[in-house]
Amino acid sequence: MSVTAKADARPLSDAEIVEAYLTASMIPDPDAAAAYMKPGTVITFTGGREFDHPRGPTGFNARRYRWVKKRMDRFDVCPGTGETVVYSVGTLYGEWIDGTPFEGNRYVDRFVVKGGQIVKMDVWNDSAEQILLQRGIEA
């Protein structure tokens, strides 16, 4: 890319920052994903697990799934004073660690974006419910 092309590039919108983060996370390339986060950002993952880098969720997912991807259905953008809250809503699909395929696993990710960087992330999905059903447990 030329210097001129770089100078003409517009900054990413807050929703585009979140989408770029999630896309890098799905490769998975946690270091590329981290480029969209302010250092020290707290990622609160399913079950209340806290991580300070995208490597945390990537490592956790490696113990739960052979692979997992997101169908990002929509981004809900809520502008505020000095920050924007962006929700990514969609479904997960992939293979459980035992090789069983799955799809339609609902997720909601909530991001707080300030100054062009993600400063907080919260993650919810139905994986635990699907694991219970897979084991014949209706709770």
Side-chain angles (χ1 to χ4, degrees), residues 13-19 74-80 83-89 109 111 113:
S13 72
D14 293 336
E16 289 169 332
I17 289 166
V18 167
E19 184 175 18
R74 72 176 196 266
F75 294 92
D76 297 335
V77 180
C78 308
E83 68 182 29
T84 302
V85 174
V86 178
Y87 292 90
S88 174
V89 179
D109 292 341
F111 296 85
V113 182

Side-chain angles (χ1 to χ4, degrees), residues 15 18-23 25-26 44-46 61 64-65 68-76 86-94 96 102-111 121-130:
V18 167
E19 184 175 18
Y21 169 85
L22 291 172
T23 299
S25 295
M26 286 189 292
T44 305
F45 213 61
T46 58
N61 283 341
R64 182 174 277 191
Y65 312 105
V68 62
K69 304 289 183 210
K70 291 184 177 190
R71 280 196 185 91
M72 296 178 261
D73 293 335
R74 72 176 196 266
F75 294 92
D76 297 335
V86 178
Y87 292 90
S88 174
V89 179
T91 56
L92 303 175
Y93 64 99
W96 297 111
F102 70 89
E103 63 180 326
N105 180 342
R106 300 175 310 158
Y107 82 86
V108 175
D109 292 341
R110 180 185 183 273
F111 296 85
M121 178 182 180
D122 296 287
V123 176
W124 296 274
N125 64 54
D126 284 340
S127 290
E129 294 296 319
Q130 288 198 0

